[in-house]
Amino acid sequence: MTRHLHDDAAARAEARVARAMGLSMSQWDDLDEHDRAYALALDLVDAEDAAGRCTCCGGVAAECQNPDNQHAYVVTFRRCFRTLAVMEAEEKRRGKDGLGDMKGVLTVVRLDPALKKSATRPQSAK
C-alpha cells in the first residue's frame, strides 16, 4: 500500500503514531484493526489535550489565561532536597570563581539511608 503523506491526513496520522510506538509501517500494517484504531484514538486525545494546554505553564489554557483568575492563584513552596544536593554539588565543582567545567558531567543521585536524619537520631525507648 503506497502512502501519500503530503495529501493524506489519515496516512500522516498513521505514520506519526507508528513512529511514536517505535514501529515500522510494515509492523503497523500487521497490527489488527482494533489496535490501530485504539492507537489512533489515543493520539487524537493526546493532541486535543495538548491543544488546550498553556505553552508557558502546561496548565489548562482556558483557566490560566482567563483574566478573572489573575489574582486567584495561591503559590506554595516546597524544597526538594535531592535537587538541593545536586545544585550544591554542581556549585562546589564549579568552584568559587564559577568557572569549573560542567560540560559533559552526568549527575548521578542516590539516597544513602545512613545519612537520613532519622538514622542519626537516637531511637526512643518503647
Side-chain angles (χ1 to χ4, degrees), residues 61-74:
E63 177 195 288
C64 68
Q65 296 173 13
N66 183 338
D68 189 44
N69 296 332
Q70 181 177 0
H71 300 290
Y73 287 99
V74 177

PDB file of all heavy atoms in Angstrom, residues 61-74:
ATOM      1  N   ALA A  61      -5.295  26.017  29.423  1.00  0.00           N
ATOM      2  CA  ALA A  61      -5.217  27.388  28.916  1.00  0.00           C
ATOM      3  C   ALA A  61      -6.461  28.203  29.257  1.00  0.00           C
ATOM      4  O   ALA A  61      -6.353  29.383  29.607  1.00  0.00           O
ATOM      5  CB  ALA A  61      -4.986  27.377  27.398  1.00  0.00           C
ATOM      6  N   ALA A  62      -7.624  27.593  29.181  1.00  0.00           N
ATOM      7  CA  ALA A  62      -8.858  28.327  29.477  1.00  0.00           C
ATOM      8  C   ALA A  62      -8.879  28.820  30.917  1.00  0.00           C
ATOM      9  O   ALA A  62      -9.519  29.826  31.224  1.00  0.00           O
ATOM     10  CB  ALA A  62     -10.071  27.434  29.207  1.00  0.00           C
ATOM     11  N   GLU A  63      -8.176  28.139  31.802  1.00  0.00           N
ATOM     12  CA  GLU A  63      -8.126  28.558  33.196  1.00  0.00           C
ATOM     13  C   GLU A  63      -6.997  29.556  33.442  1.00  0.00           C
ATOM     14  O   GLU A  63      -7.216  30.643  33.955  1.00  0.00           O
ATOM     15  CB  GLU A  63      -7.933  27.353  34.106  1.00  0.00           C
ATOM     16  CG  GLU A  63      -7.794  27.738  35.569  1.00  0.00           C
ATOM     17  CD  GLU A  63      -7.239  26.598  36.400  1.00  0.00           C
ATOM     18  OE1 GLU A  63      -7.961  25.630  36.620  1.00  0.00           O
ATOM     19  OE2 GLU A  63      -6.066  26.704  36.815  1.00  0.00           O
ATOM     20  N   CYS A  64      -5.774  29.185  33.068  1.00  0.00           N
ATOM     21  CA  CYS A  64      -4.624  30.012  33.446  1.00  0.00           C
ATOM     22  C   CYS A  64      -4.514  31.296  32.625  1.00  0.00           C
ATOM     23  O   CYS A  64      -3.810  32.222  33.037  1.00  0.00           O
ATOM     24  CB  CYS A  64      -3.325  29.211  33.365  1.00  0.00           C
ATOM     25  SG  CYS A  64      -2.823  28.759  31.695  1.00  0.00           S
ATOM     26  N   GLN A  65      -5.190  31.371  31.497  1.00  0.00           N
ATOM     27  CA  GLN A  65      -5.152  32.579  30.682  1.00  0.00           C
ATOM     28  C   GLN A  65      -6.413  33.421  30.832  1.00  0.00           C
ATOM     29  O   GLN A  65      -6.581  34.430  30.143  1.00  0.00           O
ATOM     30  CB  GLN A  65      -4.914  32.200  29.214  1.00  0.00           C
ATOM     31  CG  GLN A  65      -3.560  31.557  29.015  1.00  0.00           C
ATOM     32  CD  GLN A  65      -3.350  31.024  27.622  1.00  0.00           C
ATOM     33  OE1 GLN A  65      -4.098  31.326  26.696  1.00  0.00           O
ATOM     34  NE2 GLN A  65      -2.314  30.218  27.449  1.00  0.00           N
ATOM     35  N   ASN A  66      -7.296  33.029  31.739  1.00  0.00           N
ATOM     36  CA  ASN A  66      -8.532  33.760  31.987  1.00  0.00           C
ATOM     37  C   ASN A  66      -8.229  34.928  32.931  1.00  0.00           C
ATOM     38  O   ASN A  66      -7.795  34.709  34.067  1.00  0.00           O
ATOM     39  CB  ASN A  66      -9.560  32.819  32.626  1.00  0.00           C
ATOM     40  CG  ASN A  66     -10.897  33.477  32.861  1.00  0.00           C
ATOM     41  OD1 ASN A  66     -11.003  34.697  32.936  1.00  0.00           O
ATOM     42  ND2 ASN A  66     -11.916  32.654  33.005  1.00  0.00           N
ATOM     43  N   PRO A  67      -8.432  36.159  32.495  1.00  0.00           N
ATOM     44  CA  PRO A  67      -8.138  37.318  33.350  1.00  0.00           C
ATOM     45  C   PRO A  67      -8.856  37.282  34.698  1.00  0.00           C
ATOM     46  O   PRO A  67      -8.372  37.844  35.673  1.00  0.00           O
ATOM     47  CB  PRO A  67      -8.609  38.509  32.513  1.00  0.00           C
ATOM     48  CG  PRO A  67      -8.571  38.031  31.101  1.00  0.00           C
ATOM     49  CD  PRO A  67      -8.914  36.568  31.174  1.00  0.00           C
ATOM     50  N   ASP A  68      -9.998  36.616  34.757  1.00  0.00           N
ATOM     51  CA  ASP A  68     -10.724  36.520  36.013  1.00  0.00           C
ATOM     52  C   ASP A  68      -9.911  35.766  37.081  1.00  0.00           C
ATOM     53  O   ASP A  68     -10.120  35.937  38.267  1.00  0.00           O
ATOM     54  CB  ASP A  68     -12.061  35.819  35.779  1.00  0.00           C
ATOM     55  CG  ASP A  68     -12.975  35.877  36.991  1.00  0.00           C
ATOM     56  OD1 ASP A  68     -13.071  36.970  37.609  1.00  0.00           O
ATOM     57  OD2 ASP A  68     -13.578  34.845  37.327  1.00  0.00           O
ATOM     58  N   ASN A  69      -8.978  34.948  36.649  1.00  0.00           N
ATOM     59  CA  ASN A  69      -8.170  34.160  37.578  1.00  0.00           C
ATOM     60  C   ASN A  69      -6.829  34.819  37.916  1.00  0.00           C
ATOM     61  O   ASN A  69      -6.019  34.224  38.622  1.00  0.00           O
ATOM     62  CB  ASN A  69      -7.902  32.776  36.980  1.00  0.00           C
ATOM     63  CG  ASN A  69      -9.172  31.990  36.817  1.00  0.00           C
ATOM     64  OD1 ASN A  69     -10.135  32.180  37.547  1.00  0.00           O
ATOM     65  ND2 ASN A  69      -9.187  31.093  35.846  1.00  0.00           N
ATOM     66  N   GLN A  70      -6.605  36.028  37.435  1.00  0.00           N
ATOM     67  CA  GLN A  70      -5.295  36.673  37.581  1.00  0.00           C
ATOM     68  C   GLN A  70      -4.766  36.669  39.010  1.00  0.00           C
ATOM     69  O   GLN A  70      -3.608  36.391  39.237  1.00  0.00           O
ATOM     70  CB  GLN A  70      -5.340  38.110  37.059  1.00  0.00           C
ATOM     71  CG  GLN A  70      -4.006  38.815  37.167  1.00  0.00           C
ATOM     72  CD  GLN A  70      -4.043  40.211  36.575  1.00  0.00           C
ATOM     73  OE1 GLN A  70      -5.074  40.654  36.078  1.00  0.00           O
ATOM     74  NE2 GLN A  70      -2.925  40.886  36.613  1.00  0.00           N
ATOM     75  N   HIS A  71      -5.583  36.957  39.974  1.00  0.00           N
ATOM     76  CA  HIS A  71      -5.128  37.031  41.363  1.00  0.00           C
ATOM     77  C   HIS A  71      -5.645  35.870  42.206  1.00  0.00           C
ATOM     78  O   HIS A  71      -5.596  35.933  43.428  1.00  0.00           O
ATOM     79  CB  HIS A  71      -5.548  38.369  41.982  1.00  0.00           C
ATOM     80  CG  HIS A  71      -4.968  39.538  41.253  1.00  0.00           C
ATOM     81  ND1 HIS A  71      -3.621  39.846  41.284  1.00  0.00           N
ATOM     82  CD2 HIS A  71      -5.549  40.453  40.431  1.00  0.00           C
ATOM     83  CE1 HIS A  71      -3.403  40.911  40.535  1.00  0.00           C
ATOM     84  NE2 HIS A  71      -4.558  41.289  40.003  1.00  0.00           N
ATOM     85  N   ALA A  72      -6.132  34.819  41.534  1.00  0.00           N
ATOM     86  CA  ALA A  72      -6.759  33.714  42.257  1.00  0.00           C
ATOM     87  C   ALA A  72      -5.805  32.552  42.536  1.00  0.00           C
ATOM     88  O   ALA A  72      -6.177  31.617  43.221  1.00  0.00           O
ATOM     89  CB  ALA A  72      -7.963  33.201  41.479  1.00  0.00           C
ATOM     90  N   TYR A  73      -4.594  32.613  42.022  1.00  0.00           N
ATOM     91  CA  TYR A  73      -3.657  31.510  42.227  1.00  0.00           C
ATOM     92  C   TYR A  73      -2.912  31.672  43.542  1.00  0.00           C
ATOM     93  O   TYR A  73      -2.432  32.744  43.875  1.00  0.00           O
ATOM     94  CB  TYR A  73      -2.662  31.412  41.066  1.00  0.00           C
ATOM     95  CG  TYR A  73      -3.316  30.868  39.821  1.00  0.00           C
ATOM     96  CD1 TYR A  73      -3.732  31.711  38.811  1.00  0.00           C
ATOM     97  CD2 TYR A  73      -3.541  29.509  39.686  1.00  0.00           C
ATOM     98  CE1 TYR A  73      -4.349  31.216  37.682  1.00  0.00           C
ATOM     99  CE2 TYR A  73      -4.159  29.000  38.564  1.00  0.00           C
ATOM    100  CZ  TYR A  73      -4.550  29.859  37.573  1.00  0.00           C
ATOM    101  OH  TYR A  73      -5.169  29.367  36.457  1.00  0.00           O
ATOM    102  N   VAL A  74      -2.843  30.595  44.281  1.00  0.00           N
ATOM    103  CA  VAL A  74      -2.126  30.564  45.554  1.00  0.00           C
ATOM    104  C   VAL A  74      -0.872  29.724  45.327  1.00  0.00           C
ATOM    105  O   VAL A  74      -0.949  28.580  44.896  1.00  0.00           O
ATOM    106  CB  VAL A  74      -2.989  29.936  46.670  1.00  0.00           C
ATOM    107  CG1 VAL A  74      -2.216  29.838  47.971  1.00  0.00           C
ATOM    108  CG2 VAL A  74      -4.283  30.719  46.838  1.00  0.00           C
TER     109      VAL A  74
END
